[in-house]
Amino acid sequence: MRPKFKEINSFEEFNKYYWYKKELQQICKKLGIEYIGNKAELNNYIKEYFNGNIIKHQKKINVKKINGNLTLDTKLLEFGFAMRNEYRDFFGEQVGVNNFKYTADMAATLKKVRQIKDKNFTVKDLIDVYLRKSTYAKYDNSSCQWNKFYQDFCEDNESNNFPNKMKSASILWKKVRDSDLEKVYSRKLYEKYKIELELEYK
């Protein structure tokens, strides 16, 4: 079973277990460190804590919209840039794409620019992220572990043996979530708890 946080002595041990975002935020608050961010960021704050680097909470930056047209040289912070629909046509023209959509990496990049207050980061730099010419920041999909687990379970033909796939997958998920096992679905995991699953429907 997963130990309590106060019983964990290293980030390596901490990282073996699954933690919900709300749990990570509560841990960070108790430690007196930054508690705003996605799961990857919260995990990193805790990692830095174990390394002796205390990252204090910072007040949210209020982004003020400035009237004006975007150019490739526009500095995001100075302009107060946000990924609004009104700018999609501009980006679409720059990259030659109709119905342009912002990417998750662009959102992660803008968030990082604001966090570290990078005053020199421009629209062109953001376009480079879209074109994958830059990896200024990457969207972390580790918070999607459950979704991937459920998807993989459903793709296994054995899942057709159960009337409620979501319920069955959640039973298996709990086995790995609260342990130091890898947070992935496998046929081996299914076989190990097959009888327990079947009993749920009797």
Side-chain angles (χ1 to χ4, degrees), residues 54-68:
I54 306 301
I55 301 176
K56 292 290 186 181
H57 172 64
Q58 295 183 2
K59 292 184 178 180
K60 184 178 179 181
I61 298 174
N62 292 320
V63 179
K64 296 180 180 180
K65 180 181 176 183
I66 297 176
N67 293 324

Side-chain angles (χ1 to χ4, degrees), residues 42-54:
L42 295 170
N43 267 304
N44 188 61
Y45 300 145
I46 294 171
K47 180 180 180 180
E48 291 301 318
Y49 171 83
F50 277 111
N51 289 335
N53 181 20
I54 306 301

Side-chain angles (χ1 to χ4, degrees), residues 108-167:
T109 293
L110 182 57
K111 186 173 185 177
K112 181 178 178 180
V113 167
R114 291 173 178 168
Q115 284 180 331
I116 67 174
K117 299 175 182 171
D118 186 344
K119 297 179 180 179
N120 295 315
F121 199 91
T122 66
V123 167
K124 183 182 182 304
D125 295 326
L126 192 58
I127 289 175
D128 284 344
V129 170
Y130 175 85
L131 296 173
R132 298 182 180 176
K133 294 180 179 180
S134 168
T135 53
Y136 188 92
K138 295 288 290 181
Y139 172 74
D140 182 84
N141 60 4
S142 61
S143 60
C144 303
Q145 287 175 311
W146 154 248
N147 292 337
K148 182 68 167 64
F149 185 96
Y150 177 60
Q151 179 184 345
D152 290 344
F153 173 74
C154 290
E155 289 177 355
D156 187 336
N157 290 333
E158 294 296 332
S159 68
N160 295 324
N161 296 328
F162 305 98
N164 189 330
K165 292 187 179 183
M166 179 72 77
K167 177 182 176 181

